[in-house]
Structure formats: structure tokens, C-alpha cells
Amino acid sequence: EGGVDPRRSEGEARERFRYVSGVATRYREAGGRTDLSGVYVQGTRRFGAVSLTGAVRADNWRATRGFRRESELSTGASVLDLRPSEAETTVVSARLGLTRQVGTQQWRAAVYNGFRPPSLNELYRPFRVGNDVTEANSALKPETLSGIEAGWRYAVNGLSVDLGVFHNRLSDPISNITVGFGPGTFPTAGFIPAGGVLRQRQNAGEVRATGLELSARWQAAERLTLTLSGTATDAQMRGGDPALKGKRPAQAPAYLLSVGGDYRLDRTRLSADWLFIGESFEDDLNRQRLSPASRLRLMAERPVTEALSLRLSVDNALDADIPIQRTADGIVGYDNRRAVMLSLRWR
């Protein structure tokens, strides 16, 4: 199989900011455009119980039409007018995979590389949470990944188990890097209050990650299915700023574990999924800890007609505190509280 893959993203942010006594004093417009054009070819060849898969693609990425304008709301006077230079990069990525089927077992291995270009937000739009300010960076380049993985799959009599290990190296990861602490005045960002932090999106060294993945499904009874899945990852920053060496990348939990079940009660389907989230950090210096948390989802669905069914779902059923954000001065942002939804589904 071969093909082409063109994509275009274009956006603009318009916002009031720099509030004083609850009143906005400045207005910002920022945005730009990115284009990604790729060509790819991929194929699979079988040799008895062995299957070989390969893929190669080349992508050209361009960032154009970037701008950022800021003005005083009271007078309309311009205080900032940036026109970033255009950027262009061509990246080649590939994957080679091998699988071998032996009875009820399957063994697999793969080597690969890939990339992710910066988003419009990362390139052009700054943001503020509490007293923490994160600046955009129009000079960002795509981050690239190379890795290797191996796995084993077993399936027999209603039981399937999938186990895998991987090692990845992420070069030039786009991260929110600490630039300075408030109080103080900084170029472009302006004044950062006491207790606040200034960060900027930057390509920062590299990340080395080694991990284990597990998923299992068991048909325990005619009407009962149990599931288990999880990932444990040891990820560390390397290279770049010595202050980041050995630190865990921001917003990267140490583990994720999900335990679930599905039960058929007459014509009603009942299901539950309990997700456990390990410790992570909000910032690159690992000072702002996000504590472990869990989320329980419940669902019941019953058909009304052959094509129509009624579904009741409860997200975060235990109304748990799930931290997803933390500022330098200790303000914690949480994920959604308990949410109940009743819906009709047509099939």
C-alpha cells in the first residue's frame, strides 16, 4: 500500500489578559499556520508462520504566517508586534516488524522511528494558570522518536494475555522549561508575580523511557468478561540542561492500571472500569507533585427496540479528587467531578 497524506492546521487566538484588580488591561492576537505533506509505502509478507511488515514515509513540515500582537486596552497603543520567521523540516520515518505464530502463542518484535511536529499553541500562543506563565516558542522543531519493542501474546479458551516491553528515545522533546521565578520582569512575558514561574516551550535534550505493557481478557462465564490492562514506565530526562538530568518528564505518570468487567443481566449490559493513575509532576523540575488517583466508570445499557437502546453512565462514580494541574504557589486543578449521563443510542 502507498499513499499521500496532506494536512493543514490554521488558527488564531484572541484574548484579554494582564488583569489588574479584576480588570483586563491588554489584548492579544496570536496565531499561524502549519502544513504537513507526507508520502508513504507499507507492506506485509508472510513466510509460513512468520510475518514481516515494513513501512517507510517522508514528511515535509512547514510553519508559516506566524504573528503575535499585543496592545493596551485603554489606549490601543501597541506594546508587542512579533512576526516569527518561517520554518521548514523534512523527516523520514520507518518501521520494521516481525511476528511468529506458534500454536496459541504469538511472538513479536519491532524497531521504529517517528516524529511529532509542534502544534500551533506550542508555536504561537502563550498561556497563564494562576501566577504561572508559559511562553510559546516559534523556533521549535519537531521532536523525533526511535524505539524497539518485543511482545508475547497467548489466547486459548476465552483467555487472552498480551505482554510487551519497550525502550524509546525521544530527541528534542517539546517541554515546558522553567526560565525564571517571580517576582521579576522578563523579555516578552513581562512581569511575573511573587510565587509565580515563567516557563517556555523548548526542545529540551532527550527522554529515555523503558516500560512494560500488559493487557488481559478472560471470559470467566457465559455472561461475564473480566479485563485488565496496565503500563509501567521509567522515563528520565537526559542531555540538555543539567538541572533536568534524571527528572521525570512533566505529566508522565509512573504507571496506569485499569481493571474492568462486563456482565449481561438478561437484556441489560452492565460494565465497570476502574483506572488507577500513578504519581506524576506538573513541572520539568519535579517540584510540583501530582498525587496518585483513581477514577471509576460505571455503565448500564438496555435495548428498547432492535435499533434503540437506553444507556446510563456514571463517570468518576466515587467523586474522587483527581489532580491534573498544580501551580508553583500550590493551587491544584482537578479533573471533572462525578458526572451522570442518560442517553438514547440508535443503531
Side-chain angles (χ1 to χ4, degrees), residues 304 308-311 342-346:
V304 179
L308 188 67
S309 64
L310 184 66
R311 170 180 286 189
L342 183 64
S343 58
L344 285 172
R345 303 183 70 213
W346 179 270

Side-chain angles (χ1 to χ4, degrees), residues 166 208-212 232-236 248 254:
F166 63 88
R208 299 283 182 93
T210 302
L212 174 70
T233 308
D234 177 26
Q236 294 184 359
R248 174 172 282 272

Side-chain angles (χ1 to χ4, degrees), residues 8-12 32-34 65 120:
R8 170 170 292 177
S9 299
E10 189 168 3
E12 180 176 325
R33 190 176 88 182
T34 59
R65 303 186 182 182
L120 289 174

Side-chain angles (χ1 to χ4, degrees), residues 50-344:
V50 177
S51 179
L52 183 66
T53 301
V56 178
R57 65 176 292 146
D59 291 273
N60 177 262
W61 172 79
R62 298 181 66 219
T64 60
R65 303 186 182 182
F67 69 93
R68 177 174 168 184
R69 297 186 293 266
E70 297 178 0
S71 59
E72 294 283 357
L73 280 170
S74 58
T75 64
S78 175
V79 295
L80 187 67
D81 190 354
L82 299 179
R83 296 283 176 173
S85 300
E86 297 184 354
E88 183 174 3
T89 302
T90 298
V91 183
V92 177
S93 52
R95 178 182 177 89
L96 182 64
L98 182 71
T99 62
R100 186 172 189 270
Q101 191 73 36
V102 183
T104 58
Q105 302 180 65
Q106 182 189 82
W107 299 86
R108 67 181 186 275
V111 292
Y112 48 84
N113 74 311
F115 79 105
R116 184 187 76 86
S119 67
L120 289 174
N121 275 337
E122 291 167 335
L123 288 166
Y124 304 121
R125 182 180 180 269
F127 68 92
R128 176 172 177 168
V129 179
N131 287 328
D132 293 358
V133 174
T134 302
E135 276 290 320
N137 185 355
S138 60
L140 291 172
K141 58 185 178 181
E143 55 187 21
T144 57
L145 175 85
S146 59
I148 183 171
E149 64 180 44
W152 168 78
R153 179 177 296 167
Y154 174 78
V156 64
N157 297 331
L159 173 67
S160 64
V161 179
D162 199 312
L163 183 66
V165 294
F166 63 88
H167 177 74
N168 290 334
R169 183 177 68 182
L170 182 63
S171 301
D172 299 314
I174 299 173
S175 308
N176 296 337
I177 301 301
T178 300
V179 175
F181 298 88
T185 300
F186 298 85
T188 308
F191 180 72
I192 305 298
V197 175
L198 173 62
R199 299 188 182 94
Q200 184 187 39
R201 292 173 168 118
Q202 297 180 8
N203 294 106
E206 68 177 29
V207 175
R208 299 283 182 93
T210 302
L212 174 70
E213 298 175 318
L214 168 69
S215 65
R217 182 182 179 88
W218 179 36
Q219 188 75 40
E222 182 180 355
R223 299 184 177 184
L224 177 64
T225 303
L226 302 177
T227 58
L228 173 70
S229 63
T231 302
T233 308
D234 177 26
Q236 294 184 359
M237 299 291 296
R238 301 284 183 89
D241 188 344
L244 301 180
K245 186 177 180 180
K247 299 291 193 299
R248 174 172 282 272
Q251 295 284 352
Y255 65 84
L256 294 171
L257 176 66
S258 176
V259 181
D262 189 286
Y263 183 72
R264 299 279 180 172
L265 180 62
D266 192 18
R267 298 174 62 217
T268 302
R269 177 191 169 202
L270 304 174
S271 66
D273 179 73
W274 204 340
L275 176 66
F276 298 87
I277 307 166
E279 177 188 68
S280 61
F281 297 94
E282 170 70 18
D283 66 317
D284 58 322
L285 298 177
N286 290 181
R287 297 183 177 186
Q288 298 163 218
R289 178 177 179 267
L290 298 175
S291 58
S294 66
R295 176 198 297 273
L296 176 63
R297 297 186 178 96
L298 303 174
M299 190 272 291
E301 184 173 8
R302 184 178 179 85
V304 179
T305 67
E306 290 186 1
L308 188 67
S309 64
L310 184 66
R311 170 180 286 189
L312 175 67
S313 57
V314 184
D315 193 23
N316 193 8
L318 300 181
D319 203 27
D321 294 330
I322 305 173
I324 58 173
Q325 197 172 57
R326 188 185 189 101
T327 65
D329 49 4
I331 299 174
V332 180
Y334 294 94
D335 204 350
N336 293 333
R337 310 300 304 188
R338 181 189 295 118
V340 181
M341 178 179 293
L342 183 64
S343 58
L344 285 172

